[in-house]
Amino acid sequence: MPKGYVIARVTVTNPEAYAEYAKGATEAIRQYGGRPLVRGGAYEALEGEARARNVVIEFDSVEQARTYYHSPEYQAAKAKREGACVAEFVLVEGA
């Protein structure tokens, strides 16, 4: 079964509110078996528009990643980031 990856590209506009989101999201990631592979850090734009915060979370399956994203725990955290950032989130099936 292929692994599932949640990939986020984020520009934080309200660091305090985003920090509150991150606390809840971190707990939900742990609860649903996710493993952060990339979480912030140095980056280099090779092509196109880059965002300052990049996150890659690995799950044992696409379904597990989907369950995490739609979980009540993550949705509660997500509500805290409204207005605190501009972001794209995608779910990708691993090779």
Side-chain angles (χ1 to χ4, degrees):
M1 173 182 314
K3 294 186 183 235
Y5 297 87
V6 173
I7 301 171
R9 300 174 55 245
V10 182
T11 299
V12 177
T13 56
N14 181 331
E16 295 80 20
Y18 192 85
E20 289 302 310
Y21 154 74
K23 287 178 194 173
T26 297
E27 184 53 39
I29 291 166
R30 187 176 7 263
Q31 183 175 346
Y32 287 89
R35 294 169 297 284
L37 302 179
V38 175
R39 204 169 202 180
Y43 70 96
E44 178 182 349
L46 299 175
E47 284 189 43
E49 182 182 345
R51 296 206 180 271
R53 183 156 181 82
N54 300 281
V55 178
V56 178
I57 307 165
E58 180 182 67
F59 291 86
D60 287 338
S61 68
V62 169
E63 190 54 42
Q64 186 179 10
R66 188 176 292 116
T67 298
Y68 148 76
Y69 183 83
H70 293 289
S71 71
E73 296 84 3
Y74 181 73
Q75 291 300 306
K78 181 180 173 230
K80 294 178 181 176
R81 75 172 160 84
E82 285 193 29
C85 66
V86 176
E88 295 91 32
F89 281 69
V90 296
L91 172 55
V92 179
E93 182 179 86

